[in-house]
Short mmCIF file of all heavy atoms in Angstrom, two decimals:
data_model
loop_
_atom_site.label_atom_id
_atom_site.label_comp_id
_atom_site.label_asym_id
_atom_site.label_seq_id
_atom_site.Cartn_x
_atom_site.Cartn_y
_atom_site.Cartn_z
N LEU A 29 0.35 9.01 -6.31
CA LEU A 29 1.02 7.90 -6.88
C LEU A 29 2.25 8.31 -7.67
O LEU A 29 2.30 9.34 -8.35
CB LEU A 29 0.10 7.14 -7.93
CG LEU A 29 -1.28 6.80 -7.37
CD1 LEU A 29 -2.20 6.25 -8.44
CD2 LEU A 29 -1.23 5.84 -6.18
N ALA A 30 3.29 7.50 -7.58
CA ALA A 30 4.53 7.80 -8.39
C ALA A 30 4.22 7.55 -9.90
O ALA A 30 3.34 6.77 -10.20
CB ALA A 30 5.68 6.90 -7.97
N PRO A 31 4.89 8.24 -10.76
CA PRO A 31 4.64 8.00 -12.22
C PRO A 31 4.89 6.56 -12.58
O PRO A 31 5.99 6.04 -12.39
CB PRO A 31 5.66 8.93 -12.86
CG PRO A 31 5.95 9.99 -11.89
CD PRO A 31 5.90 9.31 -10.56
N ALA A 32 3.86 5.90 -13.06
CA ALA A 32 3.96 4.48 -13.40
C ALA A 32 4.25 4.31 -14.90
O ALA A 32 3.37 3.84 -15.66
CB ALA A 32 2.62 3.77 -12.95
N ASP A 33 5.45 4.61 -15.30
CA ASP A 33 5.77 4.61 -16.69
C ASP A 33 5.96 3.23 -17.27
O ASP A 33 5.78 3.01 -18.51
CB ASP A 33 7.06 5.43 -16.95
CG ASP A 33 6.97 6.88 -16.45
OD1 ASP A 33 5.93 7.50 -16.68
OD2 ASP A 33 7.90 7.32 -15.77
N GLY A 34 6.40 2.33 -16.39
CA GLY A 34 6.76 0.98 -16.93
C GLY A 34 6.75 0.00 -15.80
O GLY A 34 6.27 0.23 -14.69
N ALA A 35 7.37 -1.20 -16.08
CA ALA A 35 7.30 -2.32 -15.16
C ALA A 35 5.88 -2.73 -14.89
O ALA A 35 4.97 -2.54 -15.81
CB ALA A 35 8.06 -2.07 -13.86
N PHE A 36 5.52 -3.28 -13.77
CA PHE A 36 4.16 -3.59 -13.43
C PHE A 36 3.92 -3.23 -11.97
O PHE A 36 3.36 -4.04 -11.18
CB PHE A 36 3.70 -5.01 -13.75
CG PHE A 36 4.77 -6.07 -13.61
CD1 PHE A 36 5.47 -6.23 -12.48
CD2 PHE A 36 5.05 -6.82 -14.76
CE1 PHE A 36 6.41 -7.23 -12.39
CE2 PHE A 36 6.02 -7.87 -14.71
CZ PHE A 36 6.69 -8.07 -13.54
N TYR A 37 4.28 -2.02 -11.54
CA TYR A 37 4.16 -1.53 -10.18
C TYR A 37 3.46 -0.16 -10.11
O TYR A 37 3.71 0.66 -11.01
CB TYR A 37 5.52 -1.44 -9.54
CG TYR A 37 6.37 -2.69 -9.55
CD1 TYR A 37 7.56 -2.68 -10.15
CD2 TYR A 37 5.90 -3.84 -8.93
CE1 TYR A 37 8.35 -3.85 -10.22
CE2 TYR A 37 6.63 -5.01 -9.01
CZ TYR A 37 7.89 -5.01 -9.65
OH TYR A 37 8.64 -6.15 -9.72
N ILE A 38 2.79 0.06 -9.03
CA ILE A 38 2.33 1.36 -8.62
C ILE A 38 2.72 1.58 -7.18
O ILE A 38 2.52 0.72 -6.34
CB ILE A 38 0.82 1.58 -8.82
CG1 ILE A 38 0.48 1.55 -10.28
CG2 ILE A 38 0.32 2.80 -8.17
CD1 ILE A 38 -1.06 1.63 -10.60
N TYR A 39 3.37 2.69 -6.93
CA TYR A 39 3.92 3.05 -5.61
C TYR A 39 3.04 4.14 -5.08
O TYR A 39 2.98 5.28 -5.61
CB TYR A 39 5.35 3.51 -5.76
CG TYR A 39 6.18 3.50 -4.51
CD1 TYR A 39 6.33 2.32 -3.73
CD2 TYR A 39 6.86 4.60 -4.07
CE1 TYR A 39 7.09 2.27 -2.64
CE2 TYR A 39 7.63 4.58 -2.88
CZ TYR A 39 7.72 3.43 -2.17
OH TYR A 39 8.51 3.37 -1.03
N ALA A 40 2.31 3.84 -4.01
CA ALA A 40 1.27 4.71 -3.46
C ALA A 40 1.60 5.27 -2.09
O ALA A 40 2.11 4.55 -1.19
CB ALA A 40 -0.02 3.97 -3.39
N ASP A 41 1.40 6.60 -1.96
CA ASP A 41 1.56 7.28 -0.63
C ASP A 41 0.34 6.97 0.23
O ASP A 41 -0.83 7.23 -0.19
CB ASP A 41 1.67 8.75 -0.91
CG ASP A 41 1.97 9.59 0.34
OD1 ASP A 41 1.55 9.16 1.44
OD2 ASP A 41 2.60 10.66 0.20
N VAL A 42 0.55 6.35 1.38
CA VAL A 42 -0.52 5.95 2.26
C VAL A 42 -0.47 6.80 3.59
O VAL A 42 -1.08 6.35 4.61
CB VAL A 42 -0.55 4.47 2.57
CG1 VAL A 42 -0.87 3.67 1.30
CG2 VAL A 42 0.81 4.01 3.18
N SER A 43 0.22 7.88 3.56
CA SER A 43 0.40 8.66 4.80
C SER A 43 -0.88 9.19 5.39
O SER A 43 -0.96 9.47 6.59
CB SER A 43 1.40 9.83 4.58
OG SER A 43 0.92 10.67 3.57
N ARG A 44 -1.92 9.34 4.57
CA ARG A 44 -3.17 9.81 5.13
C ARG A 44 -3.88 8.68 5.95
O ARG A 44 -4.75 9.00 6.70
CB ARG A 44 -4.13 10.27 3.98
CG ARG A 44 -4.61 9.16 3.04
CD ARG A 44 -5.50 9.65 1.98
NE ARG A 44 -6.77 10.22 2.49
CZ ARG A 44 -7.75 10.64 1.73
NH1 ARG A 44 -7.63 10.67 0.42
NH2 ARG A 44 -8.88 11.09 2.31
N PHE A 45 -3.43 7.48 5.72
CA PHE A 45 -4.08 6.32 6.48
C PHE A 45 -3.16 5.83 7.60
O PHE A 45 -3.67 5.26 8.57
CB PHE A 45 -4.32 5.18 5.50
CG PHE A 45 -5.32 5.55 4.44
CD1 PHE A 45 -4.92 5.81 3.12
CD2 PHE A 45 -6.72 5.59 4.73
CE1 PHE A 45 -5.83 6.14 2.19
CE2 PHE A 45 -7.61 5.81 3.75
CZ PHE A 45 -7.21 6.15 2.44
N THR A 46 -1.83 5.95 7.48
CA THR A 46 -0.95 5.30 8.43
C THR A 46 0.44 5.88 8.41
O THR A 46 0.82 6.50 7.38
CB THR A 46 -0.84 3.79 8.16
OG1 THR A 46 -0.09 3.19 9.20
CG2 THR A 46 -0.13 3.49 6.89
N GLY A 47 1.16 5.73 9.42
CA GLY A 47 2.59 6.02 9.40
C GLY A 47 3.40 4.71 9.57
O GLY A 47 4.59 4.77 9.80
N ASP A 48 2.68 3.65 9.38
CA ASP A 48 3.36 2.29 9.53
C ASP A 48 2.83 1.37 8.40
O ASP A 48 1.86 0.67 8.55
CB ASP A 48 3.01 1.70 10.89
CG ASP A 48 3.70 0.38 11.17
OD1 ASP A 48 4.26 -0.24 10.24
OD2 ASP A 48 3.69 -0.04 12.31
N SER A 49 3.57 1.42 7.27
CA SER A 49 3.10 0.67 6.10
C SER A 49 3.19 -0.85 6.36
O SER A 49 2.41 -1.60 5.80
CB SER A 49 3.91 1.04 4.89
OG SER A 49 5.27 0.75 5.08
N VAL A 50 4.10 -1.30 7.21
CA VAL A 50 4.14 -2.74 7.52
C VAL A 50 2.87 -3.21 8.20
O VAL A 50 2.25 -4.21 7.80
CB VAL A 50 5.39 -3.04 8.46
CG1 VAL A 50 5.34 -4.49 8.88
CG2 VAL A 50 6.67 -2.76 7.69
N GLN A 51 2.45 -2.46 9.17
CA GLN A 51 1.20 -2.75 9.87
C GLN A 51 -0.01 -2.68 8.91
O GLN A 51 -0.88 -3.59 8.92
CB GLN A 51 0.99 -1.86 11.08
CG GLN A 51 -0.25 -2.22 11.86
CD GLN A 51 -0.48 -1.22 13.02
OE1 GLN A 51 -0.52 0.00 12.79
NE2 GLN A 51 -0.65 -1.75 14.27
N LEU A 52 -0.06 -1.70 8.09
CA LEU A 52 -1.14 -1.58 7.14
C LEU A 52 -1.18 -2.75 6.16
O LEU A 52 -2.27 -3.35 5.91
CB LEU A 52 -1.00 -0.24 6.31
CG LEU A 52 -2.09 0.02 5.28
CD1 LEU A 52 -3.43 0.38 5.99
CD2 LEU A 52 -1.70 1.12 4.29
N CYS A 53 -0.04 -3.14 5.63
CA CYS A 53 0.00 -4.27 4.73
C CYS A 53 -0.41 -5.57 5.43
O CYS A 53 -1.21 -6.37 4.87
CB CYS A 53 1.33 -4.48 4.10
SG CYS A 53 1.82 -3.15 2.96
N SER A 54 0.01 -5.76 6.64
CA SER A 54 -0.36 -6.94 7.36
C SER A 54 -1.88 -7.02 7.64
O SER A 54 -2.53 -8.08 7.51
CB SER A 54 0.39 -7.01 8.73
OG SER A 54 0.06 -8.16 9.44
N LYS A 55 -2.47 -5.85 8.05
CA LYS A 55 -3.87 -5.82 8.27
C LYS A 55 -4.67 -5.99 7.01
O LYS A 55 -5.74 -6.60 7.00
CB LYS A 55 -4.21 -4.47 8.99
CG LYS A 55 -5.65 -4.44 9.51
CD LYS A 55 -5.81 -3.30 10.51
CE LYS A 55 -7.26 -3.14 10.97
NZ LYS A 55 -7.88 -4.39 11.46
N MET A 56 -4.20 -5.40 5.94
CA MET A 56 -4.88 -5.58 4.67
C MET A 56 -4.93 -7.02 4.23
O MET A 56 -6.02 -7.53 3.80
CB MET A 56 -4.11 -4.76 3.57
CG MET A 56 -4.78 -4.70 2.22
SD MET A 56 -3.77 -3.90 0.93
CE MET A 56 -3.56 -2.20 1.65
N LEU A 57 -3.87 -7.74 4.39
CA LEU A 57 -3.87 -9.21 4.09
C LEU A 57 -4.83 -9.90 5.03
O LEU A 57 -5.64 -10.76 4.60
CB LEU A 57 -2.46 -9.76 4.23
CG LEU A 57 -2.33 -11.23 3.96
CD1 LEU A 57 -2.77 -11.64 2.59
CD2 LEU A 57 -0.86 -11.68 4.21
N GLN A 58 -4.80 -9.56 6.25
CA GLN A 58 -5.68 -10.24 7.32
C GLN A 58 -7.10 -10.00 7.04
O GLN A 58 -7.96 -10.91 7.16
CB GLN A 58 -5.24 -9.80 8.66
CG GLN A 58 -6.11 -10.38 9.83
CD GLN A 58 -5.71 -9.79 11.17
OE1 GLN A 58 -4.57 -9.46 11.39
NE2 GLN A 58 -6.66 -9.65 12.07
N ASP A 59 -7.47 -8.71 6.75
CA ASP A 59 -8.83 -8.28 6.69
C ASP A 59 -9.56 -8.62 5.32
O ASP A 59 -10.67 -9.09 5.32
CB ASP A 59 -9.04 -6.81 6.95
CG ASP A 59 -8.72 -6.43 8.45
OD1 ASP A 59 -8.49 -7.37 9.21
OD2 ASP A 59 -8.69 -5.24 8.73
N ILE A 60 -8.78 -8.35 4.28
CA ILE A 60 -9.46 -8.48 2.92
C ILE A 60 -8.67 -9.38 1.95
O ILE A 60 -9.03 -9.51 0.75
CB ILE A 60 -9.68 -7.09 2.30
CG1 ILE A 60 -8.36 -6.33 2.04
CG2 ILE A 60 -10.62 -6.33 3.14
CD1 ILE A 60 -8.51 -5.10 1.27
N GLY A 61 -7.58 -10.04 2.43
CA GLY A 61 -6.87 -11.01 1.55
C GLY A 61 -6.18 -10.39 0.38
O GLY A 61 -5.95 -11.00 -0.67
N VAL A 62 -5.73 -9.11 0.46
CA VAL A 62 -4.96 -8.46 -0.59
C VAL A 62 -3.56 -8.30 -0.07
O VAL A 62 -3.35 -7.66 0.98
CB VAL A 62 -5.57 -7.09 -0.95
CG1 VAL A 62 -4.65 -6.39 -2.00
CG2 VAL A 62 -6.95 -7.27 -1.54
#
């Protein structure tokens, strides 16, 4: 995770799961509603 010093965001490396974050996000919304 990137240092989350402020704002209200966490930026996470998902390379262990995918090389296509668009597809991962779409499937996450479809499967679990996040």
Side-chain angles (χ1 to χ4, degrees):
L29 309 174
D33 304 315
F36 31 57
Y37 305 120
I38 291 179
Y39 199 57
D41 185 330
V42 293
S43 57
R44 68 180 295 185
F45 297 101
T46 186
D48 185 347
S49 59
V50 173
Q51 183 182 52
L52 180 72
C53 291
S54 180
K55 190 164 174 53
M56 186 185 301
L57 178 60
Q58 177 184 329
D59 291 355
I60 61 172
V62 175

